[in-house]
Amino acid sequence: MTFSIFLPEQLATGADVKLPVLYWLSGLTCTDENFVQKAGAQRLASELGLIIVCPDTSPRGDEVPDDEDGAYDFGLGAGFYVNATEEPWAKYYNMYDYVVEELPEIVARNFPIDIKKQSIFGHSMGGHGALTIALKNPEKYHSVSAFAPICSPMNCAWGTKALKKYLGEDESTWSDYDSVELVKNATRPIPMLVDQGSADEFLKQQLKPELLVEACNRAGMPLGFNQRDGYDHSYFFISSFIENHLRFHHGILSMLV
Amino acid sequence: MTFSIFLPEQLATGADVKLPVLYWLSGLTCTDENFVQKAGAQRLASELGLIIVCPDTSPRGDEVPDDEDGAYDFGLGAGFYVNATEEPWAKYYNMYDYVVEELPEIVARNFPIDIKKQSIFGHSMGGHGALTIALKNPEKYHSVSAFAPICSPMNCAWGTKALKKYLGEDESTWSDYDSVELVKNATRPIPMLVDQGSADEFLKQQLKPELLVEACNRAGMPLGFNQRDGYDHSYFFISSFIENHLRFHHGILSMLV
């Protein structure tokens, strides 16, 4: 697995410091490079002293099976951050375990990470990944944020296609990867920030943030939700508000001892 | 011809204002999109009230001839901002006239440009384009800047290949598109800013900023030259220092009445 990592400038001094880390999860069709090239996060991340790790969005390689029609929304580039249980996906499509377990260990072994100061964020399918992973592991991630996340994959075409293929027909297994369902059953609050563009072409059919807002309101989950008028689903939207998200996570991580 | 244009937020108010404009010229293999996606210029350009226009780097289309071997450094994506005189290039490869004459007219007809407040900047081949165009038209461009420009195409492999094919064997015609030669013969000073990464893989063989620095020193041309230790030739280098360049141009353009 390939991943990108941004190391802030202060590490270049050779000082023996460990820094907090943000994990960025990208959306459909992306790799470990989209955020690095387009989000414009580095300047402020360097100033705030935040390491940012960007994994790929699916397993890769000649042996890894892909959608039989090569569709963009399943298979390669579309791992949906689950552990697949169905064949032929179960062997390689374990992005949940990779992001939660394997990747932090690799990062901590090789870079000056403060493993006790982790947060997670993402975009679209990666927003879904960030929210579900944080909600399932509130002891590991101190805050979570998302741009235009798929809020309830059980209730949209992208999500049901992927969950059915990765997890099988039994929908009771899907709720374990659905942010709205996880919020309903959450036992511990985790600070959440979501930005959503009003001109996002996927807003009504695929993203459905109103379901997340309602679930958080009912569950008392601390969600900051910003509707951004006129913004679409692109990385231009992300780069416009990335600084808010970095400051949100930094504010929380910097309070930890 | 395709181009990108960034319009600052204050234009959305509908106020009857005209704003200064920067032209960005990209390097080899680029299109009108690289700067837009990767430079991270929009936030500050919006704050400063600068319109940014990004043309493509060559003519495009089925009829447009390309390098016979499909090389990246000649033909499509490599117009070198000259008016070609040799066949089969002369018909379409007139990027100099396009950038200096046609594009500003199209932009002024369609957008709220203050045509009297123009500056120009670019990267690599586009740095060469920006410098030569500004030096040849100091009455049109009030400042010029470049990231890792090809400073003397007459003295590097990229440049001699392109100039020979576009302009022919007679090297006396090449000096009209060589920044170092143009500086020697300049009759009017124009504020210049150049940033160059010390770890740029093309520094010694292709870019040769020392020739430009020496020529400017001798000619009394106002050049600010920043060597940036450890930076390479990529858009990460550009995005690291783009704000300095925007403030440089804005400082000059905002003094004009």
Side-chain angles (χ1 to χ4, degrees):
Chain A
M1 291 297 293
T2 302
F3 65 89
S4 301
I5 184 163
F6 174 77
L7 301 171
E9 200 166 7
Q10 56 256 57
L11 293 175
T13 63
D16 185 25
V17 291
K18 295 197 170 196
L19 295 179
V21 58
L22 299 182
Y23 293 90
W24 171 266
L25 305 184
S26 268
L28 291 167
T29 78
C30 288
T31 70
D32 56 293
E33 290 200 340
N34 301 64
F35 182 84
V36 173
Q37 304 252 13
K38 296 181 176 179
Q42 291 95 342
R43 188 184 55 81
L44 187 61
S46 195
E47 183 184 323
L48 297 177
L50 294 168
I51 292 171
I52 304 178
V53 175
C54 304
D56 202 347
T57 53
S58 77
R60 305 277 179 184
D62 293 342
E63 289 183 18
V64 176
D66 192 10
D67 183 85
E68 54 189 9
D69 301 318
Y72 76 96
D73 58 0
F74 185 78
L76 296 181
F80 269 86
Y81 306 100
V82 304
N83 289 333
T85 55
E86 299 299 293
E87 295 308 332
W89 319 107
K91 181 174 181 187
Y92 290 107
Y93 283 81
N94 294 289
M95 290 298 293
Y96 177 84
D97 277 355
Y98 171 66
V99 171
V100 176
E101 306 290 348
E102 186 179 349
L103 180 61
E105 286 175 20
I106 294 168
V107 168
R109 270 205 308 277
N110 292 280
F111 300 97
I113 300 287
D114 185 344
I115 195 78
K116 285 180 285 187
K117 296 185 180 178
Q118 294 192 138
S119 290
I120 193 164
F121 62 156
H123 172 228
S124 195
M125 176 186 74
H128 143 75
L131 290 167
T132 53
I133 284 171
L135 286 162
K136 287 157 70 103
N137 300 278
E139 76 292 352
K140 285 193 177 177
Y141 304 95
H142 296 280
S143 50
V144 57
S145 76
F147 295 85
I150 301 171
C151 291
S152 183
M154 296 180 73
N155 288 292
C156 71
W158 278 343
T160 53
K161 175 180 177 180
L163 296 177
K164 187 177 290 183
K165 290 189 169 194
Y166 288 134
L167 304 178
E169 300 277 347
D170 179 3
E171 297 188 16
S172 69
T173 65
W174 300 4
S175 57
D176 204 30
Y177 296 108
D178 186 288
S179 296
V180 170
E181 292 301 311
L182 291 167
V183 163
K184 290 179 186 170
N185 299 309
T187 55
R188 181 168 161 173
I190 178 169
M192 302 166 71
L193 173 66
V194 171
D195 277 61
Q196 174 61 59
S198 68
D200 187 322
E201 61 270 42
F202 302 113
L203 174 56
K204 291 190 177 168
Q205 298 299 319
Q206 305 283 5
L207 307 176
K208 305 190 179 181
E210 67 280 4
L211 299 179
L212 183 68
V213 170
E214 185 192 350
C216 286
N217 283 343
R218 288 194 184 191
M221 185 65 73
L223 168 66
F225 181 77
N226 299 312
Q227 178 175 302
R228 302 298 189 178
D229 288 344
Y231 285 86
D232 65 10
H233 199 66
S234 74
Y235 265 82
F236 294 121
F237 165 55
I238 295 170
S239 67
S240 297
F241 300 105
I242 189 67
E243 296 199 358
N244 298 16
H245 285 240
L246 295 180
R247 291 191 191 283
F248 165 74
H249 292 292
H250 177 259
I252 289 161
L253 293 170
S254 62
M255 288 190 306
L256 304 172
V257 289
Chain B
M1 292 296 293
T2 302
F3 65 89
S4 300
I5 184 164
F6 174 76
L7 300 172
E9 200 167 6
Q10 55 257 58
L11 293 175
T13 63
D16 184 25
V17 291
K18 296 198 170 196
L19 295 179
V21 58
L22 298 182
Y23 292 89
W24 171 267
L25 305 184
S26 268
L28 291 166
T29 77
C30 288
T31 69
D32 55 293
E33 290 200 339
N34 301 65
F35 181 85
V36 173
Q37 304 252 12
K38 296 181 176 179
Q42 291 94 342
R43 189 184 56 80
L44 187 62
S46 196
E47 183 184 322
L48 298 176
L50 294 168
I51 291 170
I52 304 179
V53 175
C54 304
D56 203 346
T57 53
S58 76
R60 305 275 178 185
D62 293 341
E63 289 183 18
V64 176
D66 192 9
D67 183 85
E68 56 190 8
D69 302 319
Y72 75 96
D73 58 0
F74 185 76
L76 296 182
F80 269 86
Y81 306 101
V82 304
N83 290 332
T85 55
E86 298 299 293
E87 296 307 332
W89 318 107
K91 182 175 180 187
Y92 290 108
Y93 283 81
N94 293 289
M95 289 299 292
Y96 178 84
D97 278 353
Y98 171 66
V99 171
V100 176
E101 306 290 347
E102 187 180 348
L103 181 59
E105 286 174 20
I106 293 167
V107 168
R109 268 206 308 277
N110 292 281
F111 299 98
I113 301 287
D114 185 344
I115 195 79
K116 284 180 285 187
K117 296 185 180 177
Q118 294 192 139
S119 291
I120 191 164
F121 62 156
H123 172 228
S124 195
M125 176 184 74
H128 144 74
L131 290 168
T132 53
I133 283 171
L135 286 162
K136 287 156 70 101
N137 301 277
E139 76 291 355
K140 284 194 177 176
Y141 304 94
H142 296 281
S143 50
V144 57
S145 76
F147 294 86
I150 302 171
C151 291
S152 183
M154 296 180 73
N155 289 293
C156 72
W158 278 343
T160 53
K161 175 180 177 180
L163 296 177
K164 187 176 289 183
K165 289 189 170 194
Y166 288 135
L167 303 178
E169 301 277 347
D170 178 4
E171 297 188 16
S172 69
T173 64
W174 301 2
S175 57
D176 204 31
Y177 296 108
D178 186 288
S179 297
V180 170
E181 293 302 310
L182 291 168
V183 163
K184 290 179 186 171
N185 299 308
T187 56
R188 181 169 162 172
I190 178 168
M192 301 165 72
L193 173 66
V194 171
D195 277 62
Q196 174 62 59
S198 68
D200 187 321
E201 59 270 42
F202 303 113
L203 175 56
K204 291 190 177 167
Q205 298 300 319
Q206 305 283 4
L207 306 176
K208 305 191 178 180
E210 68 280 5
L211 300 179
L212 182 69
V213 170
E214 186 192 350
C216 286
N217 284 343
R218 289 194 184 191
M221 185 66 72
L223 168 67
F225 181 78
N226 299 312
Q227 178 175 303
R228 303 298 189 179
D229 288 346
Y231 284 86
D232 65 11
H233 199 67
S234 73
Y235 265 82
F236 294 121
F237 165 54
I238 295 170
S239 66
S240 297
F241 300 105
I242 188 68
E243 297 199 358
N244 298 15
H245 285 241
L246 295 181
R247 290 190 192 282
F248 166 73
H249 292 291
H250 177 259
I252 289 160
L253 292 170
S254 62
M255 287 190 305
L256 303 172
V257 287

